[in-house]
Amino acid sequence: MIENENLMLNKEFVNNFSEVESAVEDMSKRLSDLESLLDAASAQLQDSRNNTHEVLEKARKLNLHKKHTVEKKEVLNLFSSRFILPLEDEARIRNSDSPIDEDFFKSLKQLHRVRIEARHMLDELNDSDSTRTVQGVAADASSTPSSTSQEGNSHDELKGAFHYDAALAVDILHQTSDLQEIAYERIFVWIQRQCKELITVADDSEAEEEVSRRIRKGLQVIRHRTVYFNHSAKEISRVRRQLLMQKFHETLTKGGPTSRPIDIHAYDIVRYTNDMLAWIHEQVAAEREFFIQTFSEDEETEGRSKSPTNNTAYTPPAPASRNQDDVD
C-alpha cells in the first residue's frame, strides 16, 4: 500500500517535473534567442561605431580640405588682383570700338601696375637666388660629406621653385606686353584724330583747350614709345603750323574780334611791319606755352609753364597817333 502511494507520488512528481522541465527548456530557448538578438545588436552597434568613425574621419578630412581650399582661394584671389588684369579692362583695351576715355586710361593704368608687380617679383626672385647662391657656396666650403647630399637636395628644390616663379613672372610680362602694344597703337591713332579735331575747333578756345588736354594725356602715355611719340609730335607741329598760318592770314585780311585787319595799313610800311611782328611775337609766346604744356612730363612742369613768370605773351603797344594829314 505504501509502495503504491510512493509510486503514485513519484509518477505525479515526474509529471509535474516534466512541466517544469518544459518551462525551463522554453526559458532556455528564449534566453538563447535573446542572446542571439543581443549579439546581433552588439554587432550592429559595433558596425555603427565603425561607420560613424569613418564618417567622422571623412568629415574631418573634408573640413581640413575645405580649409586648405579656402586658403588657396585667398592666395589665388590675391595673386589675381596683383598679377592678372581683369577681363573687363582687357576687353576695353583690345576692343577697337570702345572709346578712349577716362575708363580706358584707368584700364591702361591697371595694366601698367600688373607689369610693375611682375617686374618687382622677378627682381626679388633674382636677388633671393643670388643670396642663396652665395650662402650655398659658403655652406659647401664648411659642410661635411654626410650633410652635403641633404643640403644639395634642398638646394635643388629651392632652385626648381625659383625657376617656376621666374617663368611665371616672365609669362605675365610677355602676355601683357602684347596688350600694352595694342593700347599704345590705339592711343597713337587717337592722337592723330585729336589733331584733326584741333583744326575744326580752332575758333572755340574752350573746345581747343579740351582737345589739347586730351592730346597731352595721350602723349604722356606713349612718351617712352619713341616711334609713336615722334610721329605724334610731328603731326602736332604740322597742325599747329597750319593753324598758325590760317590765323595769320585771317589777321591780315579779316582782323580779330577787337582789331582791324593789318592789311589796311599796308600803305604804311613801318606800321604794317610792326603790326605783323607784334602779332608774330605774341603767337610765338603762345605757341611756346602750348608746346611746354603739351610735351611736359608731369603736372608740375605744366603748372610751372602756366605761372606768370613763364608767360611771355606780348601785347603790342598801341600805334602812335597820327594826324589826319598823315593818314591822308
Side-chain angles (χ1 to χ4, degrees), residues 88-123:
E88 180 181 357
D89 293 331
E90 182 177 355
R92 185 178 292 115
I93 293 175
R94 288 187 181 276
N95 187 7
S96 58
D97 295 332
S98 63
I100 297 182
D101 50 11
E102 293 298 328
D103 292 335
F104 177 87
F105 285 105
K106 289 179 181 178
S107 299
L108 185 58
K109 186 176 181 180
Q110 290 293 327
L111 176 62
H112 289 164
R113 182 192 58 78
V114 169
R115 291 181 58 81
I116 291 173
E117 292 283 359
R119 289 195 188 97
H120 184 63
M121 180 176 69
L122 193 59
D123 292 339

Side-chain angles (χ1 to χ4, degrees), residues 228-291:
Y228 291 151
F229 184 81
N230 290 340
H231 279 290
S232 299
K234 290 179 181 178
E235 180 65 16
I236 293 172
S237 300
R238 185 191 67 79
V239 170
R240 296 300 298 184
R241 186 185 301 111
Q242 180 180 347
L243 289 175
L244 197 61
M245 293 298 296
Q246 180 179 342
K247 289 180 180 179
F248 182 67
H249 182 266
E250 291 177 353
T251 303
L252 286 177
T253 58
K254 299 179 181 179
T258 59
S259 62
R260 302 169 67 184
I262 297 178
D263 279 347
I264 65 174
H265 301 295
Y267 64 89
D268 187 349
I269 189 62
V270 175
R271 181 175 180 180
Y272 187 55
T273 305
N274 284 340
D275 289 346
M276 285 192 294
L277 290 177
W279 185 89
I280 291 173
H281 183 82
E282 182 179 359
Q283 293 303 316
V284 167
E287 290 300 308
R288 177 180 180 275
E289 182 178 358
F290 170 81
F291 280 103

